[in-house]
Structures are given as structure tokens and as C-alpha cells.
Amino acid sequence: MKKQQYVLSAIALILCIALYIGGKTVPDKTAATAHTEGDGHDHSAESPQKIDFKSILAAAKATITPNQSQRLTALENSVTRGDVKEQQIHAFHEMARFWLDSARKFELYAYYTSEAAKLENSEKSLTFAARLFLDRLMMSGDPAMQTWLANNAKVLLENALKINPANDSSRIGLGSCYLFGNISSNPMEGINMIRQVVEKNPGNVYGQMMLALGGKKSGQYDKAIERFLLIVQKEPNNIEAVFHIAECYDLKGDKPNAIVYYEKAKQLVKIPQAKEELNNRIMELKK
């Protein structure tokens, strides 16, 4: 990897962490398989090694304390004992809280939240659980984990769309599963889902962001910049879009414009370490 890519990855990672803490996410530079926004061909690497729930659970259990293990066993037993739907829903939520608060394993928190959502079968619960997987998908750099996350989100969003077929956010999310989750040999399957929404409503920021990220990952920087700029026109303080514009210009070798947008990103970001990394990159570009 070139020095430039190392620097950009470091900045992206810091911003990713900062935005994730604040409720938004920025994909890292390996967060998605490189798909072309418009050519319909599969540009993915070889199929990732499969990850499943049992392997994730086993790995997580190996890291918890004896007291936590005892607590977990009691919770697992409560799931199997639940003889009515409401009891099972409650048990799954308890399991989710355990993995989030006590063991700090976000994937398992998302999984058990999704199990409760499937039983509740409301649009709100299904889309909330799906977003947990999607947010993690956009942060993950592991192709196998991306696929696991995308498949889980896909099931939830398909169920949500059965309840409300007109929900554009659910349709965009579903398209993103195909676009970034390595679950299809044809990225156009996901791109078309998102495009249908964006063509109907060009001001849909979520849809524009997903298409822009798809273009960026495939190296179509001009197309990506065009979409990111649409977002910034609508939301001038959208740090995600501003940073991605800067990075696209940087990657295509347009130093003056990269500096302009790194400066904008530096003004918007609140994390001192991120400001420092952005400033360092600006200084490098000015040499």
C-alpha cells in the first residue's frame, strides 16, 4: 500500500470512530468490495470465508469471565423456557443487553435484537435491527463479516418491506446489502434498488450516499464526487460527505481540491486526533 493510502486510511479510521460514537458511520477504505456503479459486472475478489452465528458466539464466549458465563447461561435458559412470544421477546432483549453492556460484543447485540424484532414483526423494530447490521457493515473491513452482516440485514429489511413496501429507506438499505455485502455476483441488483429511489427523489441523502460510496469504491471518483456534492448542497455540515469528497480528490491526484475539502472537514470534525491527522495530510499535499 502506498504512503498516501496509509495516511488516508488512518484519517478515515479516526473519523469512522468519531462518527460512529456520534451515531453515524463512515466506511473504512476496505469496507466494501469494489463494485462499479453502472457496468453490471462483478468486481469482487474471491468469495470470503464463511462466518456464521455459532462461530461468532463461540469466539465471544471464550472471552467472557466465569461470572459473565454464569449470567449468560441463565439468560440462554430463559430463552428456551419462554413458552409464549412475549417471554421470548423479553429474553432476546435481555441477551442483547448482556452482549452490549457486559461483554461489549456488538455483533451479538445486533443478532439478539434482530431475533426479538422478527418475533415482534413491526416495521419499527425490524428496521431498527437492520440498521444495526448495516451500520456495522459499513464499518467492517472483513469480507466474511460483511457477508454475515448483510445477510442478516437483508432478512430484516425484506420483512419490513412486506409490511410497508413504500419505505424508501428500507429499499435503499436492502440495495446496500447487495452492493456492500458480497451477497450477489451482480452488484447492479443492489444499485438498481437504490437508483429507483434516487431517480424518484434526487434529494434522498441516504440513497445518494450509498451510490456515491459505491462509485468511490470502484474508483469512479468523478461520479462519486458528483453525488457527494449533492449531499453537501443539501447538508453543508455533513462531515461524511465532505471527507469523502476530499478523499476522492486526493485519490485522483487533484491536490488543490483535496486541500479545500480536507480543510472543510477539519472545521467540522470535533475530535482533536482527527483534526491533527487531517492537518498532517493537508501539509503533505502542500509540499
Side-chain angles (χ1 to χ4, degrees):
M1 183 181 289
K2 296 179 182 179
K3 179 180 179 182
Q4 176 195 17
Q5 292 175 300
Y6 277 121
V7 173
L8 295 180
S9 294
I11 297 171
L13 179 59
I14 292 168
L15 289 175
C16 179
I17 293 169
L19 290 166
Y20 178 68
I21 292 171
K24 288 189 175 184
T25 59
V26 179
D28 62 47
K29 292 185 65 58
T30 58
T33 302
H35 296 301
T36 302
E37 184 182 340
D39 68 2
H41 295 293
D42 179 19
H43 296 267
S44 60
E46 61 186 58
S47 298
Q49 185 177 356
K50 186 176 180 181
I51 286 179
D52 58 23
F53 167 70
K54 289 183 179 179
S55 63
I56 294 172
L57 182 61
K61 283 184 174 181
T63 68
I64 62 178
T65 67
N67 285 341
Q68 288 174 328
S69 181
Q70 186 176 8
R71 168 65 175 152
L72 178 60
T73 299
L75 289 172
E76 288 175 335
N77 289 338
S78 72
V79 171
T80 59
R81 288 196 304 265
D83 56 358
V84 295
K85 185 170 72 172
E86 288 72 19
Q87 289 175 326
Q88 288 183 317
I89 291 171
H90 176 74
F92 282 133
H93 280 306
E94 287 294 306
M95 291 282 287
R97 279 191 285 270
F98 168 83
W99 285 113
L100 181 66
D101 298 334
S102 300
R104 304 298 176 94
K105 301 294 183 183
F106 186 88
E107 287 79 10
L108 291 174
Y109 161 67
Y111 175 83
Y112 284 109
T113 299
S114 74
E115 290 300 290
K118 290 172 188 175
L119 290 175
E120 291 169 355
N121 199 38
S122 71
E123 183 185 14
K124 181 178 179 180
S125 62
L126 289 166
T127 54
F128 173 80
R131 194 58 188 257
L132 296 177
F133 287 115
L134 283 173
D135 285 350
R136 202 64 164 187
L137 167 62
M138 300 308 291
M139 293 180 68
S140 175
D142 178 356
M145 179 57 72
Q146 290 168 2
T147 299
W148 183 79
L149 294 165
N151 278 324
N152 277 280
K154 175 178 175 288
V155 171
L156 294 162
L157 290 167
E158 286 174 340
N159 289 342
L161 284 166
K162 289 176 184 176
I163 297 171
N164 181 9
N167 189 316
D168 286 343
S169 293
S170 293
R171 196 160 299 281
I172 292 167
L174 183 58
S176 300
C177 292
Y178 286 94
L179 184 56
F180 298 104
N182 315 305
I183 63 175
S184 173
S185 61
N186 180 13
M188 286 303 295
E189 189 171 358
I191 292 169
N192 286 336
M193 290 182 194
I194 303 171
R195 277 184 174 169
Q196 287 172 8
V197 175
V198 171
E199 287 173 0
K200 180 179 66 176
N201 178 15
N204 189 302
V205 170
Y206 184 29
Q208 292 288 5
M209 180 69 79
M210 293 302 103
L211 289 177
L213 290 171
K216 180 187 172 190
K217 295 304 173 184
S218 67
Q220 295 188 346
Y221 302 123
D222 289 333
K223 285 187 177 181
I225 289 168
E226 183 179 345
R227 291 192 185 277
F228 286 129
L229 285 171
L230 289 174
I231 296 169
V232 172
Q233 288 172 10
K234 189 176 180 67
E235 298 180 357
N237 294 329
N238 190 314
I239 178 62
E240 296 178 75
V242 170
F243 173 75
H244 283 298
I245 293 170
E247 194 175 33
C248 284
Y249 278 124
D250 197 346
L251 290 168
K252 72 191 291 261
D254 186 338
K255 292 184 179 182
N257 277 314
I259 291 170
V260 168
Y261 282 93
Y262 279 135
E263 289 283 5
K264 290 180 183 291
K266 191 173 71 172
Q267 295 303 313
L268 293 171
V269 74
K270 305 300 181 184
I271 305 299
Q273 188 180 1
K275 284 182 178 290
E276 182 180 354
E277 291 291 345
L278 287 165
N279 192 61
N280 290 340
R281 184 57 192 157
I282 291 167
M283 292 299 101
E284 285 286 328
L285 290 171
K286 287 182 176 179
K287 288 180 180 179

